């Protein structure tokens, strides 16, 4: 286990508007306020397009798994839940790891790891907490063959 202890420094509330991409919008907010270490506590709203992926077997990878092909839903999509971590990468750029849960017009539910192309239909409301005394990083893990969340005590 890897862990670190810190405190909530700031809380941010943001409303993404029609046509905006969720990942691009949250990245812009983080850059605007210099948020490097935090969490997406809550996110709800509606999407005209949802793009995400789920774990799939990759026998050639060290951990045997990775993210599979992108799943795309179009039309009126309900964003039931959004959560994730806000880190910075080795070059000090914002690095997001976001998961979401969705429902289509018939109430069928979906969930997964967000990729770009999640477009707001009417609104998406997001609450973010910024941390102090925790260095939130995504580092390459040799054992799994992918970037993984690594909290470091600051």
């Amino acid at each position: 286990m890897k862990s670190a202890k810190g405190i909530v420094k700031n809380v941010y509330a943001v409303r993404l508007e029609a046509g905006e991409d969720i990942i691009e919008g949250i990245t812009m907010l983080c850059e605007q306020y210099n948020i490097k270490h935090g969490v997406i506590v809550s996110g709800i709203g509606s999407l005209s397009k949802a793009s995400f992926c789920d774990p799939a077997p990759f026998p050639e990878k060290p951990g045997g798994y990775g993210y599979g092909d992108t799943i795309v839903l179009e039309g009126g999509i309900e964003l039931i839940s959004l959560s994730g971590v806000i880190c910075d990468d080795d070059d000090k750029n914002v690095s997001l790891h976001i998961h979401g849960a969705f429902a289509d017009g018939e109430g069928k539910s979906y969930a997964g790891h967000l990729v770009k192309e999640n477009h707001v239909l009417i609104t998406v409301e997001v609450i973010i907490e910024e941390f102090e005394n925790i260095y939130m990083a995504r580092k390459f893990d040799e054992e799994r063959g992918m970037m993984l969340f690594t909290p470091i005590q600051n």
Side-chain angles (χ1 to χ4, degrees), residues 19 35-36 41-42 52 54 76 80 86 101 105-106 138 142 144:
I35 304 167
K36 301 285 187 174
V41 177
S42 174
F52 57 96
D54 290 317
I80 300 165
I86 300 166
E106 297 174 4
R138 287 180 52 81
E142 296 287 338
R144 296 285 177 223

Side-chain angles (χ1 to χ4, degrees), residues 1-3 14 19-21 35 44 47 50-51 53 56 58 63 68 71-72 86 89 94 97 103 108 140-141 145:
M1 175 181 9
K2 294 175 175 48
S3 66
V14 60
E20 288 188 89
D21 179 83
I35 304 167
I44 57 172
L47 303 174
S51 302
C53 51
F58 284 89
I71 299 165
V72 178
I86 300 166
D89 63 18
V94 173
H97 185 189
K108 185 176 176 185
F140 188 79
D141 183 284

Side-chain angles (χ1 to χ4, degrees), residues 134-151:
I134 300 176
Y135 180 78
M136 305 273 284
R138 287 180 52 81
K139 304 271 184 200
F140 188 79
D141 183 284
E142 296 287 338
E143 187 177 327
R144 296 285 177 223
M146 60 189 335
M147 299 293 283
L148 295 179
F149 171 61
T150 307

Side-chain angles (χ1 to χ4, degrees), residues 60-79:
E60 70 280 3
K61 291 189 84 148
Y65 275 85
Y67 284 115
D69 293 336
T70 299
I71 299 165
V72 178
L73 306 175
E74 298 204 45
I77 305 296
E78 187 72 10
L79 176 60

Side-chain angles (χ1 to χ4, degrees), residues 115-142:
V115 295
K116 285 192 177 179
E117 301 294 320
N118 287 277
H119 300 166
V120 176
L121 178 63
I122 300 169
T123 186
V124 168
E125 300 143 7
V126 181
I127 305 298
I128 292 172
E129 291 181 346
E130 180 183 19
F131 297 146
E132 196 168 80
N133 301 328
I134 300 176
Y135 180 78
M136 305 273 284
R138 287 180 52 81
K139 304 271 184 200
F140 188 79
D141 183 284
E142 296 287 338

Side-chain angles (χ1 to χ4, degrees), residues 88-113:
D88 66 359
D89 63 18
D90 290 337
D91 296 324
K92 303 296 181 204
N93 297 312
V94 173
S95 176
L96 302 175
H97 185 189
I98 305 174
H99 285 211
F102 317 93
D104 65 17
E106 297 174 4
K108 185 176 176 185
S109 60
Y110 305 83
H113 168 86

